[in-house]
Amino acid sequence: MKKIALIYMGGTFGCIGEPLSPMPAENFIPQLQRVLPLHLHIECFIAPSIKDSSACTATDWLQLIQMIQGLQLKNYQHFVVIHGTDTLSYASATLARFLGQSAHVVLTGSQYPLLNVNGTNTREFTDAIDNLNFALDAVVTSSVGVYLAFHHQLIHAQTALKRHTTNLDAFVGLSAKENLITHQQSYVVHEHDLEKAQSFNCLSLMAQPIAIEQQIKNLKNLPQAPPHVVILQGFGTGNLAVNQEFIDTLHEIHIQGCAIILTTQVPFGTIDQRYAVSEWTQHAHIMISDCLGHADLYAKALKMYLQYDSIDQWHAHWHDSV
């Protein structure tokens, strides 16, 4: 029988009380074990970092990846992760980028807690049990890779997007039934990666329909203290109104050691180089997103940040299978 490592990382799934607050993990795990299906070989683990998912950062997910990679050395190959829904798409994309096809991994969560207010029994109405059972079934029946299981949908993790704040059918993305051609190479997380990730600074700027002079004014603040990455979310296929001053301002940011990546704020679809976006980008020292969604772009930027120290290396390896 395949053994499954069930890793608890917090979120609404493990909350109790009114208003909701997290139940201590060491108290929650015994309650969780009561509802697990008996026909599966499941062992429960507490993730290195337990917190509200809105507070999660790259370091938390890298610690989780490091834990999974450690369990792989103990002959675990099937993993289910319970995670909060706020940043579940980011967690899913990051695990997909770093684990690749090295294991069977399914992430899940819930819009309602598993337990009642007092934490003494299962809640009368909850999607937690349903989502968990679906994830446990998916992890032993699906092909190797990383997936998100939610409300009877199994989604390729890199494409997941939270589309509703409260509905049970909260996530959308490319179905696991559809072929996703990826060549992600797994990345073994070490302690120096955890230390470096603590400083990872990624800023996303969603373009608004304002005058280009105002866009430039906003950008001119960045060279004073540039982040490691600036993601420009353009309109449509990545279109932005630009002029020479706009391009020169991007160059000023670039020479400060900041990676500038152009993407689209549209949830689905990719940048299309047939449009006007293609001409100016060739002279602006920026990279074009080739990712499957915004969370996937974040995960790729994080991985590039850990792998390469100079922006020239980013440009040289941006379209490698990282």
Side-chain angles (χ1 to χ4, degrees):
M1 183 184 294
K2 299 172 181 176
K3 59 180 181 179
I4 301 170
L6 176 58
I7 303 175
Y8 174 66
M9 200 170 171
T12 298
F13 198 106
C15 284
I16 57 172
E18 287 182 339
L20 292 176
S21 61
M23 188 178 195
E26 58 273 15
N27 297 336
F28 177 71
I29 292 298
Q31 297 281 36
L32 175 63
Q33 290 171 324
R34 291 175 48 229
V35 304
L36 297 178
L38 297 177
H39 69 283
L40 295 174
H41 181 189
I42 304 169
E43 294 189 43
C44 294
F45 297 89
I46 298 174
S49 177
I50 304 288
K51 60 175 65 173
D52 187 278
S53 70
S54 62
C56 285
T57 66
T59 303
D60 300 305
W61 298 317
L62 291 175
Q63 287 178 330
L64 173 63
I65 292 164
Q66 190 179 52
M67 180 182 190
I68 290 173
Q69 291 172 337
L71 288 170
Q72 283 182 286
L73 298 177
K74 299 178 181 178
N75 296 318
Y76 287 90
Q77 285 302 319
H78 296 80
F79 303 89
V80 170
V81 178
I82 297 172
H83 191 285
T85 61
D86 283 348
T87 54
L88 183 51
S89 61
Y90 288 90
S92 300
T94 302
L95 264 63
R97 281 277 171 183
F98 282 78
L99 293 173
Q101 284 72 50
S102 66
H104 300 259
V105 183
V106 176
L107 295 94
T108 193
S110 66
Q111 296 284 57
Y112 293 90
L114 173 68
L115 302 175
N116 59 21
V117 172
N118 299 319
T120 55
N121 207 336
T122 53
R123 200 173 187 270
E124 185 174 339
F125 176 78
T126 179
D127 59 333
I129 295 177
D130 208 19
N131 285 349
L132 177 58
N133 286 335
F134 179 58
L136 290 168
D137 178 67
V139 81
V140 295
T141 58
S142 299
S143 302
V144 68
V146 184
Y147 304 91
L148 170 62
F150 214 94
H151 196 61
H152 300 287
Q153 291 189 79
L154 189 64
I155 299 168
H156 285 291
Q158 286 177 260
T159 71
L161 171 73
K162 189 173 185 184
R163 67 175 176 183
H164 201 283
T165 55
T166 56
N167 278 0
L168 298 184
D169 188 11
F171 288 86
V172 67
L174 184 67
S175 170
K177 296 177 182 178
E178 300 181 58
N179 187 34
L180 179 65
I181 301 175
T182 59
H183 304 282
Q184 304 303 332
Q185 297 181 5
S186 59
Y187 181 102
V188 178
V189 175
H190 297 286
E191 290 302 316
H192 63 83
D193 294 309
L194 301 179
E195 294 172 9
K196 188 174 182 180
Q198 291 178 2
S199 301
F200 181 55
N201 190 355
C202 179
L203 176 65
S204 185
L205 299 176
M206 179 184 286
Q208 299 297 304
I210 59 177
I212 190 170
E213 292 79 12
Q214 303 307 319
Q215 302 274 29
I216 294 170
K217 187 182 296 184
N218 292 335
L219 286 174
K220 282 187 177 295
N221 293 322
L222 293 179
Q224 310 305 318
H228 299 112
V229 184
V230 168
I231 297 173
L232 297 177
Q233 297 184 53
F235 302 107
T237 59
N239 292 308
L240 287 171
V242 301
N243 59 20
Q244 191 58 49
E245 186 180 6
F246 184 93
I247 294 172
D248 291 343
T249 304
L250 292 182
H251 182 60
E252 290 176 21
I253 300 169
H254 167 82
I255 61 177
Q256 295 294 320
C258 177
I260 304 171
I261 307 166
L262 178 67
T263 188
T264 171
Q265 58 191 256
V266 181
F268 299 103
T270 56
I271 290 180
D272 193 326
Q273 292 292 285
R274 292 174 300 173
Y275 290 83
V277 66
S278 62
E279 184 179 356
W280 69 270
T281 58
Q282 298 174 19
H283 312 289
H285 303 284
I286 67 174
M287 291 167 282
I288 306 297
S289 173
D290 56 2
C291 297
L292 298 169
H294 192 76
D296 186 38
L297 177 53
Y298 167 89
K300 180 173 182 176
L302 170 63
K303 197 173 180 184
M304 294 287 290
Y305 169 74
L306 296 178
Q307 286 180 304
Y308 305 112
D309 293 324
S310 75
I311 298 305
D312 288 342
Q313 289 176 308
W314 281 55
H315 281 266
H317 297 284
W318 179 247
H319 293 295
D320 292 354
S321 297
V322 299

